[in-house]
Amino acid sequence: DAGVIQSPRHEVTEMGQEVTLRCKPISGHNSLFWYRQTMMRGLELLIYFNNNVPIDDSGMPEDRFSAKMPNASFSTLKIQPSEPRDSAVYFCASSPGQGAFVGSGNTIYFGEGSWLTVV
Amino acid sequence: DQQVKQNSPSLSVQEGRISILNCDYTNSMFDYFLWYKKYPAEGPTFLISISSIKDKNEDGRFTVFLNKSAKHLSLHIVPSQPGDSAVYFCAASLTGTASKLTFGTGTRLQVTL
């Protein structure tokens, strides 16, 4: 089975430009997460969708960030306008159900990440 | 505020020896703890977990220990192998759910020959 698929894998853009990151979750998973990885803060949850509905977006840093999930197999994370401090690795992850119970060995499955550099 | 802390950004261990990765947390309401492993250019993958009602969980070469009174957990890898070289993230969950995972900043483990 295909895992979580993210695109682009690498993106270099100029400050002020719009950036769109894409994610295809694992088929049948109905929870989707966007994370950002930085050296200082590790993996931070930006937003969490369940059944295509945003449940918790408290981690979205500011209004320049927005995320959508128009259907069960696709999500986007958009940054407009981008700034150098947005440079990071952005991970999309999915899990089988709302608040999938992690203790039983179920877990969230990460994509390979999108490396964003804003110059 | 970092609720989950990994104070050692890196660790170097000789092959065959024990690797001990540490993690501290501040929220006493966390009830599940997990470790993820991440290779370069890949996403993190689940390694091992432990419930707050236990103090130890073992899976092959990997053992996680939980000290609730100290709000501390550790991952032991015995014996360490070069393929274990990766970044290890500690994560804690409220209500045991994926939607409430809080990650630490990671520890880079280098297993040398």
Side-chain angles (χ1 to χ4, degrees):
Chain A
D1 287 344
V4 176
I5 299 172
Q6 293 187 244
S7 65
R9 291 296 311 277
H10 295 90
E11 173 96 5
V12 180
T13 190
E14 290 185 346
M15 182 174 62
Q17 296 297 305
E18 178 180 292
V19 173
T20 299
L21 308 178
R22 297 172 178 81
C23 175
K24 178 177 172 21
I26 293 172
S27 177
H29 284 191
N30 54 14
S31 291
L32 183 140
F33 309 83
W34 282 101
Y35 282 88
R36 177 171 67 175
Q37 183 193 2
T38 61
M39 289 292 291
M40 291 300 295
R41 300 181 68 85
L43 279 165
E44 299 175 276
L45 177 64
L46 300 178
I47 187 168
Y48 153 55
F49 291 87
N50 182 252
N51 292 326
N52 314 338
V53 176
I55 303 299
D56 183 357
D57 65 354
S58 58
M60 296 287 263
E62 48 196 277
D63 292 345
R64 298 184 296 107
F65 286 69
S66 62
K68 293 182 179 180
M69 192 166 185
N71 57 62
S73 58
F74 183 66
S75 176
T76 60
L77 177 68
K78 188 174 291 187
I79 309 172
Q80 166 63 21
S82 58
E83 297 182 3
R85 60 193 168 117
D86 301 330
S87 298
V89 184
Y90 291 81
F91 288 101
C92 178
S94 68
S95 73
Q98 179 176 6
F101 183 59
V102 293
S104 65
N106 292 328
T107 184
I108 58 175
Y109 298 85
F110 286 85
E112 293 183 325
S114 292
W115 291 70
L116 173 64
T117 302
V118 183
V119 298
Chain B
D1 290 344
Q2 282 288 121
Q3 295 191 67
V4 178
K5 300 177 184 178
Q6 294 176 257
N7 292 318
S8 297
S10 63
L11 175 68
S12 183
V13 173
Q14 208 168 23
E15 182 181 12
R17 303 277 186 143
I18 183 171
S19 295
I20 301 176
L21 295 93
N22 294 304
C23 178
D24 297 294
Y25 61 95
T26 57
N27 190 341
S28 58
M29 299 300 290
F30 286 137
D31 57 3
Y32 261 94
F33 303 89
L34 304 90
W35 286 92
Y36 285 78
K37 179 178 179 179
K38 183 185 176 305
Y39 290 119
E42 294 184 11
T45 55
F46 171 74
L47 186 59
I48 192 169
S49 66
I50 188 168
S51 162
S52 61
I53 63 173
K54 296 186 176 180
D55 55 18
K56 177 183 174 182
N57 188 27
E58 190 172 353
D59 184 2
R61 295 185 298 113
F62 302 90
T63 302
V64 55
F65 295 92
L66 175 62
N67 183 335
K68 284 188 67 177
S69 61
K71 296 192 180 69
H72 177 83
L73 70 156
S74 60
L75 174 68
H76 292 212
I77 307 173
V78 184
S80 302
Q81 299 175 354
D84 297 328
S85 298
V87 176
Y88 290 79
F89 288 98
C90 170
S93 172
L94 288 169
T95 71
T97 56
S99 57
K100 295 291 185 183
L101 274 178
T102 301
F103 285 84
T105 52
T107 296
R108 181 177 301 279
L109 173 65
Q110 181 73 37
V111 179
T112 59
L113 297 173

